[in-house]
Amino acid sequence: MRQSQLLVPTLREAPAEADAAGHRLLLRSGMIRQLAAGIYSYLPLGRRVLLNVERIVREEMDRAGCQEVLLPVMQPAELWEESGRYTQYGPELMRLKDRHTREFALGPTHEEVVTALARDEVNSYRKLPFTLYQIGTKFRDERRPRFGLLRGREFIMKDAYSFAADWDELDRTYQAMNTAYCRILERCGLNYLRVEADAGTIGGQGETHEFMALADVGEDTIVTCNHCGYAANLEKAAFQSSSSVEYIQAEGAGMGAEVSRIATPDVRTIAELSSFLNKKAEQMIKTLLYLADGQLVAALVRGDHELNEIALKQVLGAEELVLADDEALASQAQLTVGYLGPVGLGVRMIVDVDVAAMPQAITGANEAGMHLSGVRPGIDFALDQVERIRFAEAGDHCALCGEPLVFTKGIEVGHIFKLGTKYSDAMGASFLDRNGRQCAPVMGCYGIGVSRLVAAIAEQHATETGIRWPASVAPYDVHLIPVSWKDEQQQKLVLELEQQLLDRGLRVLVDDRDERPGVKFKDAELIGLPVHIVVGRGAGEAQVELGSHKLAASGETSRIQLTAQEAITYVIEQVQQR
Amino acid sequence: MRQSQLLVPTLREAPAEADAAGHRLLLRSGMIRQLAAGIYSYLPLGRRVLLNVERIVREEMDRAGCQEVLLPVMQPAELWEESGRYTQYGPELMRLKDRHTREFALGPTHEEVVTALARDEVNSYRKLPFTLYQIGTKFRDERRPRFGLLRGREFIMKDAYSFAADWDELDRTYQAMNTAYCRILERCGLNYLRVEADAGTIGGQGETHEFMALADVGEDTIVTCNHCGYAANLEKAAFQSSSSVEYIQAEGAGMGAEVSRIATPDVRTIAELSSFLNKKAEQMIKTLLYLADGQLVAALVRGDHELNEIALKQVLGAEELVLADDEALASQAQLTVGYLGPVGLGVRMIVDVDVAAMPQAITGANEAGMHLSGVRPGIDFALDQVERIRFAEAGDHCALCGEPLVFTKGIEVGHIFKLGTKYSDAMGASFLDRNGRQCAPVMGCYGIGVSRLVAAIAEQHATETGIRWPASVAPYDVHLIPVSWKDEQQQKLVLELEQQLLDRGLRVLVDDRDERPGVKFKDAELIGLPVHIVVGRGAGEAQVELGSHKLAASGETSRIQLTAQEAITYVIEQVQQR
């Protein structure tokens, strides 16, 4: 391909909108452009990367025995009402009405459509198990789209849905998908972790795992144990709290004190209280009020801890959990934000394990401007229900082996779920088993963010000057750069090299532009093909200079001198790894 | 692929919704299913056909030097307002609001997005010409979706957009796209015609051509001349009217008669009038009132002719043309539907050439229950403007060579347009030419209906019992059908054949189901792979029976007896044509 004919609008500076290294470079290298918040156009180079990732995903899905389908973007609202998700999904579900004012959802995921399909078409165990997948455009109206392709409102996903006669069959498919996902991420050149996860709005009755590409811009925190290999996302991570033990020892002396009232005018937050009383946050109890499916409930965590809403929701078995606002509080016995506390609260309380272990604590007094000190959990207020409802944090230990936990940031690129019969039950899909009994198919679902993979690869392979695309997904295999395209000898050698590389099935980009060498080199670094060959003064003697990701990564030299033939051999070796 | 693992829900009867032969068979062969009116799911076999068509389109676009991109489905309404199409497109444009109540259109086409891209990124003649294309999902809220994939509301299209420095450059690209389109349609095994066309809502300043797949269910009428090769769609077709000449000769005797009033109570339509007066429709004038951009205008055609609204719109240079409703008429001097006529009408009249040639005619009297006879065009009413505003019909002659025109039905599968600077002017895209002058890029756009191609192929290759898919797009190359999969010898031979075919890179479907032979054969005919090999009692002696589209088309025999090796040779020969 001649670069002069390719739309590659490289930029010296990244637009202000860019908020991550990979995103900045995707913009600067002319691969993508923003059309609206969270909505991007893929220009030719970006489209090629995306197609390469799609190809890898398709190959691995086919290898795993899945069947490709294509399900509609526009989904009748009635289907979503059958599953109960039309309201549950909230404002993230894009909705529209057709000319007959019939309501539709723009699919963020396709459980409803695929379950309805199975309900209509699959009625016997003899047609099970099977797995359908598709690669297509999805929509989710994110409140805060950001990091370019990482969190978009219109994006490309591979989603797959499996149907099995029983849980054993589901387990086998789940395992096969797990293997396929690992292969996909490895082939994409990603450094990733597979972690235990929460099922979110997809729901389901079985385990679920996320695949996390490690990256500082990642919006997920991953909790791992280097000793036993345990890995989970922060919401799901089990842990042993060690700090509470230390606390009990350190503060044990205070036991037996009476509850006393302290005037704390205009002091509302833990931080304010801490500074006002000159006490540590871990000596305080934070009391949070929630509406769980409309019912008021209190959650108690230590002042220095962060409540895990996902864990709380699970403990409560609630469909919907929202922080109670002032209005909800005012309606309930003059509860006062900023001064809530467990003593005399009169609301059901879920108490974090670490709170239950506190010998005494400072809490709100349920009275404006007042706090209590010397409050003893289990004595001054009842421990209605003690649960683990806070996030793990630095210093906590592995629940399995007791070793210290490690915290890293990750991008969720894949997520696999054992749904069980959640959707088949809700939508009435069934089949006759071997014994003629009516059963609900046991489902799994499996998503991988195809455009998000592109973003994650860009993020992990970003350097100061460009993205070093892995050979497997690079838009072209090799970049041929004549120092001067107008120089006859250089042009001749470039064209010879191009033909030889094309004959070997390689994908070649030739910089035939009338630009200064510096401009060409800068653009080549931005575009980041695995190998580039510079043809300059040595062209007459078939001498070239070659640079590559491998050389750059070695840090020793950026380019080596070679004959044209040696360069071709080098390229072939590099690209065979793709 | 084992058929037992593939979701292919074949049907003995087509659902009532099915309204075309190809559509019925796509449903019956388990390739597609309807989710909502005009919205379809592609099941595994249908998806494979679609992917094959996509591959052919992609290869030919790449061969023509186009660059693949992927532009968003969700397009900000502001862009469509810039081009003026946000209102012009009407209810066919799907619209939605995001959570911030910002308006978006779901792209039925991407002129606005791509022109905005060029405006932002292309500023010099040195970056021209180039052509971008994409293959993706499009949305159009059809008033009457029908014929399955032929006229859907969500469909797959390849759209391409070219940018050139001048009209000569556009001409070259247009020609290259024309060639690519011919290659695509030929590779898809379609019998098609390229015809002159009207630009519709896409608009533009240059010529435009449609590619029509010939089929009886086609919603377009194609007008061709077998003598000189002229071809156009009905809206665009130029012609010589011969009937008017004959009419003038036959009716010449009536010249000079006076206008007289005839009472015609409750007689409103041409048909009613014809039967009431026992006169032919060609002796009458039909007067139609339109609102052209809000202005009332009358169109006059002969009673037996059909008005061509596209031609009328062009003659008037109107943006919008709608038939005047009763309300619009009532507001204008008591005009009475059913009794309109040109005498004393008081509205600007566009008169069809054939009306102007009438010596005398019967017309409405602009008075309820009354008509006039003996009305002489040009004498009893002024010929404000004489134009060709009716459709060609049987008996008309070629405008170029005078030979009789032929009328056939076609499915519009492709459409190419010389847009000129319509969009670049409206949206302010410009570049600096060689002389540093600011110029608007000259654009072209090129669409091909990818899912519609699948439907057109199905339509042209439909038989009583199945679709005979061309080898180029068939979901698999060959169907291996053991009479009994449980028979060890049969299974062994089938597996040997499968392996040998796979080794040669062929795509093989094995019917390993526990079904009666009759069921398997019926399903195989429905699925319609190019070759099927039946392995039955002769398996022990490596004898098989082979059927193919070629044999079926010959009409001589449906299957031939061969050795397994001969069968493989036969398959390879057939499939090499793909």
Side-chain angles (χ1 to χ4, degrees), chain A residues 1 4-9 11 33 35-37 39-45 47-48 50-51 54 58 65-76 79 91-92 94-100 102 104 106 113 116-117 121-122 126-132 135 137 139 141-145 153-154 156 514-515, chain B residues 1 4-9 11 33 35-37 39-45 47-48 50-51 54 58 65-76 79 91-92 94-100 102 104 106 113 116-117 121-122 126-132 135 137 139 141-145 153-154 156 514-515:
Chain A
M1 185 71 192
S4 67
Q5 293 164 26
L6 200 62
L7 182 65
V8 190
L11 304 171
R33 283 295 182 267
L35 180 65
I39 300 176
Y40 287 84
S41 297
Y42 296 82
L43 305 195
L45 289 184
R47 181 58 175 141
R48 291 181 72 94
L50 190 66
L51 281 172
E54 283 182 24
R58 181 170 279 125
C66 308
Q67 307 171 43
E68 185 167 355
V69 296
L70 186 62
L71 305 173
V73 167
M74 282 184 64
Q75 308 180 1
L79 272 185
E92 287 194 359
M94 299 262 196
R95 295 152 211 256
L96 80 158
K97 288 183 181 155
D98 72 3
R99 65 196 299 159
H100 310 296
R102 191 174 168 190
F104 287 85
L106 293 188
V113 173
L117 183 67
E121 310 293 348
V122 180
R126 292 191 301 167
K127 297 192 174 169
L128 298 173
F130 65 88
T131 305
L132 304 177
I135 298 174
T137 303
F139 299 84
D141 204 351
E142 295 281 354
R143 196 156 52 92
R144 283 186 60 202
R153 300 199 290 170
E154 176 176 338
I156 314 290
D514 181 20
E515 295 281 3
Chain B
M1 186 70 195
S4 66
Q5 293 163 27
L6 201 62
L7 182 66
V8 190
L11 303 170
R33 283 295 181 265
L35 180 65
I39 300 176
Y40 287 84
S41 297
Y42 296 82
L43 305 195
L45 289 184
R47 181 58 175 142
R48 290 180 73 93
L50 191 67
L51 281 172
E54 282 183 27
R58 181 170 280 126
C66 308
Q67 307 170 44
E68 186 168 354
V69 296
L70 186 62
L71 306 172
V73 167
M74 280 185 61
Q75 308 180 2
L79 273 184
E92 287 194 359
M94 299 264 196
R95 295 152 210 255
L96 81 160
K97 287 182 183 159
D98 72 4
R99 65 196 297 158
H100 310 295
R102 190 171 170 196
F104 286 85
L106 293 189
V113 173
L117 183 69
E121 310 294 348
V122 180
R126 291 192 302 166
K127 297 193 172 170
L128 296 173
F130 65 90
T131 306
L132 305 177
I135 298 175
T137 303
F139 299 84
D141 204 352
E142 295 281 354
R143 196 155 53 90
R144 284 186 61 200
R153 299 198 290 169
E154 174 175 339
I156 314 291
D514 181 19
E515 294 280 4

Side-chain angles (χ1 to χ4, degrees), chain B residues 9 48 85 105 134 164 171 205 220 240 253 277 279 302 433 441 574:
Chain B
R48 290 180 73 93
R85 291 207 299 175
Q134 61 174 346
D171 287 348
Q205 303 149 334
D220 287 273
Q240 300 174 17
L277 299 177
K279 297 269 185 188
R302 231 172 55 188
D433 74 1
Q574 288 300 299

Side-chain angles (χ1 to χ4, degrees), chain B residues 117-189:
Chain B
L117 183 69
R119 173 177 64 192
D120 295 344
E121 310 294 348
V122 180
N123 43 33
S124 158
Y125 72 95
R126 291 192 302 166
K127 297 193 172 170
L128 296 173
F130 65 90
T131 306
L132 305 177
Y133 81 96
Q134 61 174 346
I135 298 175
T137 303
K138 297 273 186 288
F139 299 84
R140 195 176 298 154
D141 204 352
E142 295 281 354
R143 196 155 53 90
R144 284 186 61 200
R146 55 184 182 149
F147 301 138
L149 305 181
L150 271 187
R151 183 167 294 281
R153 299 198 290 169
E154 174 175 339
F155 51 96
I156 314 291
M157 244 185 87
K158 187 284 300 173
D159 45 331
Y161 307 89
S162 70
F163 293 84
D166 54 41
W167 279 86
D168 284 350
E169 244 178 37
L170 170 60
D171 287 348
R172 283 191 292 276
T173 304
Y174 192 82
Q175 201 44 54
M177 295 304 275
N178 184 68
T179 305
Y181 274 40
C182 293
R183 289 185 56 98
I184 289 167
L185 300 182
E186 275 153 27
R187 288 181 65 185
C188 286

Side-chain angles (χ1 to χ4, degrees), chain B residues 384-419:
Chain B
D384 292 353
Q385 190 176 348
V386 177
E387 301 280 358
R388 176 57 81 203
I389 55 168
R390 72 161 172 99
F391 286 126
E393 56 171 35
D396 288 330
H397 291 75
C398 176
L400 302 184
C401 74
E403 291 298 309
L405 290 171
V406 178
F407 296 78
T408 39
K409 288 287 180 185
I411 299 165
E412 182 198 337
V413 287
H415 203 158
I416 58 179
F417 303 82
K418 288 186 182 170
L419 294 174

